[in-house]
């Protein structure tokens, strides 16, 4: 047999430590689209953390394009204080060693749904270890339209439709950028 035989019956017990505290925004890394006039809710995932602090900022299109073109990500992005829309704390169920999903309503400081635009959402969780300004962050887009683009090497066709109705939307200005976020074309939907 393998190993050394035990001469007597033994009982061995041990305990493991708690899971490392962690928190993240349970949504895709790519910019998340929220429907204008529709539900604006997301989830925060926590393990061994009782609360997280959230900060929501409005992003100008130029600022979004500037930051994206740098390719450095968003976890060290420091938005201007004047662009802050809301700062709040979300309490999470503090059950030990369980992954908890907590729903969070996306709203401004007075509880109203967000208007169309681009937003930066940053999260801090003091009990979790992280080496950047934010424990986690996302770009959020609130919109009422969807753009479908078909392109070849020298032509492009775009369809703009309402998210709620699915019908084409005319008279809306659109801009197109290359992979370095340089403007390469613009027009108005027909």
């Amino acid at each position: 047999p393998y190993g050394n035989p035990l001469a007597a019956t033994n009982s061995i017990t041990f305990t493991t430590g708690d899971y490392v505290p962690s928190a993240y925004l349970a949504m895709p890394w790519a910019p998340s689209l929220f429907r204008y006039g529709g539900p604006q809710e997301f989830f925060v995932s926590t393990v061994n953390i009782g609360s997280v602090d959230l900060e929501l900022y409005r992003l100008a299109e130029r600022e979004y394009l500037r930051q994206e073109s740098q390719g450095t990500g968003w976890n060290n992005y420091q938005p201007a204080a004047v662009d802050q829309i809301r700062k709040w704390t979300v309490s999470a169920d503090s059950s030990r060693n369980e992954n908890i999903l907590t729903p969070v309503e996306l709203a401004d400081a007075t509880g109203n749904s967000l208007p169309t635009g681009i937003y930066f959402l940053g999260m801090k969780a003091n009990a979790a270890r992280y080496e950047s300004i934010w424990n986690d962050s996302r770009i959020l887009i609130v919109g009422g339209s969807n753009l479908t683009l078909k392109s070849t090497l020298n032509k492009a066709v775009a369809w703009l439709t309402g998210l709620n109705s699915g019908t084409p939307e005319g008279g809306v200005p659109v801009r197109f950028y290359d992979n370095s976020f340089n403007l390469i074309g613009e027009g108005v939907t027909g």
Side-chain angles (χ1 to χ4, degrees):
Y2 179 78
N4 298 318
L6 297 174
T9 302
N10 291 296
S11 177
I12 300 172
T13 61
F14 64 93
T15 57
T16 60
D18 289 336
Y19 291 137
V20 174
S22 66
Y24 65 91
L25 299 167
M27 63 176 81
W29 276 103
S32 294
L33 177 64
F34 290 88
R35 195 177 299 244
Y36 174 72
Q40 295 179 356
E41 181 181 67
F42 63 96
F43 291 86
V44 172
S45 177
T46 57
V47 176
N48 293 337
I49 289 184
S51 66
V52 297
D53 297 320
L54 297 171
E55 296 183 33
L56 182 66
Y57 296 83
R58 187 162 186 78
L59 271 181
E61 179 183 342
R62 276 231 181 275
E63 178 64 6
Y64 169 72
L65 295 175
R66 184 191 68 76
Q67 182 67 21
E68 276 292 318
S69 68
Q70 291 178 0
T72 57
W74 292 89
N75 277 352
N76 280 314
Y77 176 69
Q78 185 59 60
V82 68
D83 293 327
Q84 188 177 74
I85 294 171
R86 184 178 176 200
K87 182 177 183 177
W88 73 109
T89 298
V90 174
S91 296
D93 180 338
S94 57
S95 298
R96 270 182 68 201
N97 298 324
E98 289 186 37
N99 185 22
I100 305 297
L101 284 175
T102 303
V104 179
E105 287 291 325
L106 197 55
D108 66 16
T110 59
N112 295 316
S113 295
L114 298 177
T116 58
I118 305 171
Y119 299 89
F120 172 81
L121 177 66
M123 181 183 74
K124 295 179 181 179
N126 292 333
R129 282 185 265 154
Y130 53 98
E131 297 176 5
S132 55
I133 295 173
W134 306 101
N135 174 248
D136 202 0
S137 63
R138 293 291 189 284
I139 296 302
L140 312 176
I141 298 173
V142 177
S145 305
N146 180 65
L147 183 72
T148 301
L149 177 67
K150 301 282 185 171
S151 65
T152 65
L153 292 175
N154 58 2
K155 289 185 182 179
V157 178
W159 290 268
L160 186 72
T161 59
L163 284 174
N164 292 326
S165 68
T167 58
E169 295 183 347
V172 179
V174 292
R175 291 182 293 280
F176 299 95
Y177 299 89
D178 66 13
N179 61 346
S180 297
F181 296 100
N182 297 308
L183 182 66
I184 58 172
E186 56 188 318
V188 176
T189 60

